Amino acid sequence: MSTQPNSVFVACVPIANFPTSKSASSDPWEEFSNIFRRGQQPLPHAWANVFGPLRRGTVDDLVIVGQIGQSLDGRIATESGHSKYINGPAGLVHLHRLRALMDAIVVGVGTALADDPQLTVRRVAGPQPARVVIDPKGRLGADARMFADDGVWRVLITAQGARCAPPSGVEIIALPTTDGQIAPSAILAALAGRGMRRMLIEGGANTVSRFLAAGCLDRLHVIVAPIILGAGGPGLILPSLERADQAPRMPIRVHKIEDDVLFDCDLSPQRVALGVAKKST
């Protein structure tokens, strides 16, 4: 594999020996997440290589992370749309650890309709982040599980003039559209204006791809499972290139998570400036 001088390749480091669930005794992950959020003392070594880069932004005050779980052949679902679960239990724990470190989780309405996700932190200890759905046409029903009234901030981002009727307590943010789409930078600016500093763009593939194409991601976590699905939904959907050498290369770190492999891609050199959060959470 060829690399450019600024590329970084780190050999696979197994992290499967760390706890993968809550425990009645002292939980090292809970201690780690508390130190991570306080942001003053050095991080414990166990998870520092994986999550340390998410602690502070290098472009501005924000840290925006995209996450994709896929097969070896780059599929996020079978041809019929089935996707639970491509990644193994440790890969799912990694996703919940990401959630626990974020101020907000963002998904597109397609994922919300297809999977009806809870978007909660359940597999590890940690605070519950805000749950945000991008729904320009107000398609998501009031009974969606991510709208559950559990004391967590819930947000529906929609197009100006759209008719939508989420449950009571769900904040509606109406933003302008271009060709029916809301600009990723406008979404992030609106959330930052409400105090969200670290945000996870969790899915689906189209939403993560739009944020990537718009230069709105600091990191991209791609968790690859040792399976081949053949036909099915692609992980990333980006504009085509005429030549392979036109594809941008990026610094990466690689980590082994039991049977899965995490590619942690540093996209900060191409990330556009987005601003600062109104308040740090």
Side-chain angles (χ1 to χ4, degrees):
M1 180 182 69
S2 62
T3 59
Q4 292 182 348
N6 63 345
S7 297
V8 177
F9 183 87
V10 178
C12 289
V13 179
I15 60 175
N17 57 322
F18 300 135
T20 57
S21 63
K22 292 182 181 180
S23 170
S25 60
S26 176
D27 185 342
W29 169 257
E30 186 172 19
E31 178 185 0
F32 176 90
S33 62
N34 288 336
I35 294 173
F36 178 95
R37 283 183 170 272
R38 286 197 294 268
Q40 297 175 342
Q41 63 191 96
L43 292 172
H45 175 72
W47 293 283
N49 287 337
V50 180
F51 299 107
L54 311 183
R55 200 176 197 185
R56 297 179 182 89
T58 59
V59 178
D60 48 37
D61 185 52
L62 307 181
V63 180
I64 316 300
V65 186
Q67 191 278 153
I68 287 282
Q70 65 179 43
S71 63
L72 275 173
D73 53 343
R75 306 295 181 178
I76 62 167
T78 64
E79 194 169 21
S80 68
H82 188 266
S83 61
K84 293 185 177 179
Y85 288 105
I86 289 175
N87 296 110
L92 294 174
V93 168
H94 173 78
L95 172 59
H96 282 241
R97 285 179 175 146
L98 273 178
R99 290 178 179 177
L101 300 179
M102 297 291 120
D103 300 323
I105 307 172
V106 181
V107 297
V109 66
T111 292
L113 289 170
D115 298 341
D116 194 19
Q118 298 180 65
L119 302 183
T120 58
V121 177
R122 304 183 302 280
R123 294 175 179 261
V124 299
Q128 300 292 338
R131 301 191 292 267
V132 182
V133 61
I134 305 168
D135 187 6
K137 298 181 180 178
R139 298 162 55 199
L140 189 60
D143 59 347
R145 293 200 295 177
M146 66 171 294
F147 284 157
D149 187 2
D150 55 4
V152 175
W153 186 46
R154 299 154 292 154
V155 181
L156 187 154
I157 294 179
T158 192
Q160 290 178 340
R163 299 180 63 181
C164 51
S168 174
V170 175
E171 181 177 354
I172 299 174
I173 300 176
L175 298 173
T177 62
T178 301
D179 297 328
Q181 300 283 349
I182 303 172
S185 58
I187 293 169
L188 296 172
L191 295 173
R194 287 158 174 80
M196 300 296 103
R197 185 167 157 260
R198 296 188 193 93
M199 292 174 263
L200 174 64
I201 314 302
E202 187 170 316
N206 183 61
T207 299
V208 175
S209 298
R210 288 189 64 243
F211 277 75
L212 173 58
C216 287
L217 296 180
D218 292 282
R219 316 289 297 198
L220 176 65
H221 280 200
V222 181
I223 307 180
V224 180
I227 60 173
I228 297 175
L229 293 179
L236 293 172
I237 309 159
L238 298 169
S240 61
L241 298 173
E242 185 174 336
R243 296 172 51 88
D245 57 10
Q246 294 174 333
R249 294 184 181 271
M250 63 205 71
I252 64 168
R253 299 172 182 233
V254 182
H255 306 277
K256 190 79 164 60
I257 307 179
E258 292 188 2
D259 291 336
D260 293 342
V261 176
L262 166 65
F263 290 83
D264 172 16
C265 309
D266 181 2
L267 303 177
S268 58
Q270 54 191 283
R271 217 263 269 159
V272 299
L274 295 165
V276 299
K278 183 177 181 180
K279 58 182 179 180
S280 184
T281 58

